[in-house]
Amino acid sequence: MSQLVLFDVDGTLLLTHDDVYVEANRLALTAVYGSAPDGSDVPGDTATAHTRRALAAAGFGGAEIDAGLRRWCETFSAHYVQLLATADTSGWETAPGARESIARLDRRALLTGNPPAVAHARMERLGLADLFPPDQGAFGCERDQRSELFALARERAGDWPADRTVAVGDTPIDISSAHQAGCRCVAVTTGAYERHQLAAADVVIADLTQLEEALDALAR
């Protein structure tokens, strides 16, 4: 049974903290909102959800946040691509088995809280860009809630059925959002969470070298 497999980025494909992301976000928040408040990061959340939460905690009103959010997304993406062009990412770690496991899949795309330009720029640096068609998947800045990204990704895949769609991620939000969308989830322990914290996933694996076996089990 063919499956549409949707990959998270942070902690799933990219295993290294990205200082470029932090700086680009700081510059964009300052440009659009006049300050760059630090919010409590929720791993797996979308960039827009995180930004809303950080700004609200700093006292910004909902209307003010809404008015600048689209411009923030555009500004953040532009700063990120510009900064990454000259950044040293030689220390970035790609998930074990990522290229081999992804290349074997018939249908794959990104589903990430990153804005589109950020996600694709990261894939270029990781050497995985050729595996992810640019017109597929779903991204932060396209929807606030991660669970809402699944319908968008399935629509772009030709209205692919939810029960044959599998998310691959490393956080509890990856799992809960997939299930809320009627999809399944393979969780990897390459991020910040241990196996018992990801037990709600349909399958939990150590890393992407075990992905093919996990997908085969879900297809039975």
Side-chain angles (χ1 to χ4, degrees), residues 33 46 61 114:
Y33 293 102
T46 65
N114 298 174

Side-chain angles (χ1 to χ4, degrees), residues 94-104 128 207-211:
T94 307
R99 167 161 283 279
E100 297 79 8
S101 298
I102 297 167
R104 285 195 287 266
L128 302 176
D207 58 44
L208 294 179
T209 64
Q210 301 173 357
L211 179 61

Side-chain angles (χ1 to χ4, degrees), residues 156-180:
R156 287 172 173 163
D159 294 322
W160 192 263
D163 63 357
R164 289 165 52 200
T165 300
V166 182
V168 180
D170 66 293
T171 74
I173 287 182
D174 294 321
I175 301 165
S176 62
S177 61
H179 290 166
Q180 288 166 21

Side-chain angles (χ1 to χ4, degrees), residues 2 6 10 24 32 59 74 91 95 117 138 145 153 190 192:
S2 186
L6 302 173
D10 294 273
V32 175
E74 294 169 351
Q145 300 302 313
T190 48

Side-chain angles (χ1 to χ4, degrees), residues 4 47 69 86 89:
L4 171 62
L69 203 59
T86 57
T89 58

